[in-house]
Amino acid sequence: MIKANIEAAIEAKTKERDKIYNDLNRIDSLIEKLKVKKSRLLDRDTDLYYEIEELEDELNK
């Protein structure tokens, strides 16, 4: 009986660890996707900044 309880506890904790591992992998994937999105947005922001500067220069001529 005690052996069966210990085996069940091990199985439950193993399943919990597997779920945590899977959740961590999903979070890592999301972080990488967000980093890519952030980089693209920063690039676009830079492009827009220079476009605005050019338009303001034309306006002031």
Side-chain angles (χ1 to χ4, degrees), residues 2-57:
I2 293 175
K3 184 177 179 180
N5 288 344
I6 293 171
E7 288 172 344
I10 290 170
E11 184 177 339
K13 291 187 183 296
T14 300
K15 285 181 181 179
E16 184 179 356
R17 282 190 72 214
D18 289 345
K19 182 184 179 325
I20 290 170
Y21 179 79
N22 289 333
D23 289 347
L24 288 169
N25 280 335
R26 278 190 230 114
I27 290 169
D28 281 342
S29 177
L30 273 170
I31 288 169
E32 289 305 313
K33 289 176 185 177
L34 288 171
K35 284 180 181 179
V36 169
K37 175 113 177 156
K38 179 182 178 181
S39 177
R40 287 183 187 146
L41 288 171
L42 286 170
D43 288 345
R44 183 64 182 139
D45 178 65
T46 300
D47 292 344
L48 289 170
Y49 172 82
Y50 287 113
E51 289 174 22
I52 290 168
E53 288 293 312
E54 288 175 10
L55 290 170
E56 287 177 344
D57 286 347

